[in-house]
């Protein structure tokens, strides 16, 4: 019988967090770190590995959001911003990339302290993505192009038409970011907006504001024009809603829960805001009978246990063909039992905490509901001991399509394992979800892999890998997983609009 126990990493000096330079905790508004107009309201920044308060962050109010939006609007409409060469907007992003590189270790430590992400991950993954993202969009700034259109007049006449399109920036962009990749998500919103000529008001998650506020300090050091980037702090009910409803905001770029995304979409109707919504997921990891199990088993485990399962594309539904089901499940349960769960700064840790006590209660409640409905915990199944908000890597078997654990996004280290007896059922089971963000297929049969990928209803399908993103590859979801795409050429479409220009030329003006 498989054990549900998970060993925790030993705590000691190695687990003691460093003491990074903390930001002042002030919002960035109109080119300066500004006290909110209603001072005294503070948010505790808490270390998920210990449950202890790190520092406090000032909370903005509606008037502060209005100040930030109007500063962004003034900057966008200013002659200096409109006249700035695309290459020079790119140089702003490049200067910021250099400063992020200079402060790379400090930012990695601060990100791990604030979010509970493993320090090795923030160093190698998060910070590299941020630097690459800034440079990627710095290069894009000078690559914006329209097209020439061959005109066909409705009525034949003695005239020549010239028609072309321009890509014009939308205006003020409201960016709202989640807590699972705080700094990376901030760059996903800020960098393309600036590259394509917009200005930004960014609201980070109240649970992980520290690195975004520190980024604001580096933005000032990089010499961004006042109002080009503004950062406001606070909760979604007041600060986020004010940003979404502000008439001067032309676009909302949001990453987070489906429920919040739906509210944003509904609120955007009145002002016809453009929206990019990257929302929840319930992604299938599909392992076919001919897969290389030496790669597929650890790959499937990483797909769900990386970042403690707090990834929108996490492979939370495991679909395994019957001939290899027992082998795969035993292998993934062995990995789950052996993972070292512990603090972000302990070198032995392989999986860190969840973001908050509230979120851990939610994950545990959802697992409890699944067990009450008949699911079986093959590994894990409950909270781990310790001062922080740790949860055991969990594998659930005996699940059915109607169970809440199979239908709803858990956003934790919990995978539901399904035995597929009839290969003809794979597409049906994979698509039997209201979400459609991502999927992975593990097989040696490339014909079957590509044909199966065509039928999976998801924005991204990986073959023999999972959770691989690239700034050149569009990323977005189908169904309740969102609207629009980030990255790739789609980013330019998301932050600009086409303007058509048509001119009638008179051939009679020719004198030769």
């Amino acid at each position: 019988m498989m054990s549900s126990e998970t060993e925790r990493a030993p705590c000691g000096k190695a687990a003691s967090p460093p003491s990074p330079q903390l930001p002042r905790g002030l919002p960035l508004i109109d080119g300066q770190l500004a006290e909110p107009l209603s001072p005294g309201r503070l948010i505790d920044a808490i270390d998920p590995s210990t449950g202890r308060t790190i520092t406090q962050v000032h909370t903005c109010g509606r008037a502060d959001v209005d100040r930030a939006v109007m500063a962004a609007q003034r900057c966008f409409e200013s002659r200096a911003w409109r006249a700035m060469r695309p290459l020079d907007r790119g140089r702003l992003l490049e200067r910021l990339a250099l400063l992020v590189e200079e402060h790379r270790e400090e930012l990695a430590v601060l990100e791990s302290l604030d979010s509970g992400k493993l320090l090795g991950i923030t160093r190698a993954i998060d910070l590299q993505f941020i630097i690459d993202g800034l440079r990627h969009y710095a290069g894009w700034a000078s690559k914006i192009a329209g097209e020439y259109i061959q005109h066909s007049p409705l009525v034949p006449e003695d005239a020549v038409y010239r028609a072309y399109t321009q890509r014009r920036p939308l205006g003020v962009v409201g960016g709202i970011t989640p807590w699972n990749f705080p700094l990376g998500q901030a760059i996903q919103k800020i960098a393309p907006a600036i590259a394509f000529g917009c200005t930004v008001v960014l609201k980070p998650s109240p649970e992980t504001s520290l690195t975004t506020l520190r980024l604001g300090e580096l933005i000032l050091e990089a010499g961004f024009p006042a109002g080009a980037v503004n950062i406001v702090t606070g909760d979604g009910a007041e600060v986020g809603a004010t940003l979404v409803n502000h008439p001067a905001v032309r676009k909302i770029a949001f990453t987070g829960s489906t429920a919040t995304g739906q509210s944003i979409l509904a609120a955007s109707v009145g002002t016809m805001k453009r929206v990019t919504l990257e929302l929840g997921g319930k992604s299938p990891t599909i392992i076919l009978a001919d897969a290389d199990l030496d790669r597929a088993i650890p790959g499937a485990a990483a797909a769900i246990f990386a970042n403690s399962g707090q990834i929108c594309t996490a492979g939370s539904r495991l679909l395994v063909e019957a001939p290899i089901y027992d082998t795969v499940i035993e292998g993934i349960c062995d990995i789950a039992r052996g993972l070292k769960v512990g603090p972000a700064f302990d070198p032995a840790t392989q999986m860190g905490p969840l973001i908050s006590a509230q979120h851990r209660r939610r994950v545990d409640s959802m697992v409890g509901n699944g067990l009450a409905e008949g699911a079986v915990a093959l590994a894990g199944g409950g909270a781990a001991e310790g001062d922080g908000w740790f949860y055991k890597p969990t594998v659930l078997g005996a699940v059915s399509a109607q169970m809440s654990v199979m239908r709803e996004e858990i956003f934790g280290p919990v995978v539901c394992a399904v035995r597929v007896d009839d290969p003809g059922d794979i597409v049906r089971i994979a698509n039997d979800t209201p979400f459609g963000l991502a999927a992975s297929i593990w097989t040696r049969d490339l014909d079957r892999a590509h044909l199966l990928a065509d039928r999976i209803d998801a924005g991204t399908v990986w073959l023999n890998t999972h959770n691989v993103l690239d700034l050149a590859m569009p990323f977005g979801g189908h169904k309740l997983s969102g609207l629009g795409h980030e990255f790739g050429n789609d980013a330019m479409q998301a932050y600009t609009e086409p303007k058509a220009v048509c001119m009638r030329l008179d051939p009679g003006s020719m004198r030769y």
Side-chain angles (χ1 to χ4, degrees), residues 345-424:
F345 294 98
D346 192 318
T349 295
Q350 295 171 297
M351 196 182 87
L354 298 177
I355 187 63
S356 66
Q358 179 183 1
H359 185 55
R360 185 173 69 171
R361 285 193 295 272
R362 178 183 179 275
V363 170
D364 196 43
S365 174
M366 294 188 72
V367 170
N369 289 340
L371 297 176
E373 291 171 351
V376 175
L378 304 176
E385 296 180 358
D387 294 331
W389 298 309
F390 303 100
Y391 201 84
K392 298 173 185 176
T394 296
V395 181
L396 298 180
V399 293
S400 65
Q402 293 74 35
M403 289 182 179
S404 57
V405 289
M406 278 288 283
R407 306 298 299 174
E408 300 175 25
E409 184 179 41
I410 299 175
F411 219 64
V414 181
V415 62
C416 297
V418 178
R419 177 187 176 118
V420 181
D421 294 303
D422 183 350

Side-chain angles (χ1 to χ4, degrees), residues 17 45-54 387 389:
I46 298 175
D47 176 4
S49 291
T50 64
R52 301 189 187 100
T53 299
I54 306 163
D387 294 331
W389 298 309

Side-chain angles (χ1 to χ4, degrees), residues 89 137 140-141 144 168-170 191-198 491-492 495-496:
R89 291 200 305 271
Y137 287 110
W140 252 111
I144 306 168
R168 305 298 299 168
L170 289 172
I194 295 299
F196 301 126
C198 301
M492 183 179 70
Y495 288 88
T496 64

Side-chain angles (χ1 to χ4, degrees), residues 223-300:
F224 279 58
V229 177
N230 306 268
I231 298 171
V232 292
T233 50
D235 62 17
E238 181 178 1
V239 178
T242 303
L243 185 59
V244 168
N245 292 313
H246 201 292
V249 174
R250 294 291 303 277
K251 174 187 172 66
I252 294 293
F254 170 78
T255 300
S257 73
T258 294
T260 303
Q262 290 171 319
S263 298
I264 289 172
L265 183 61
S268 70
V269 171
T271 53
M272 296 298 287
K273 285 181 175 61
R274 307 299 183 260
V275 294
T276 300
L277 304 174
E278 195 263 279
L279 308 177
K282 196 70 177 174
S283 301
T285 300
I286 303 166
I287 303 182
L288 304 183
D290 69 338
D292 179 351
L293 298 189
D294 289 338
R295 295 176 59 193
I297 290 173

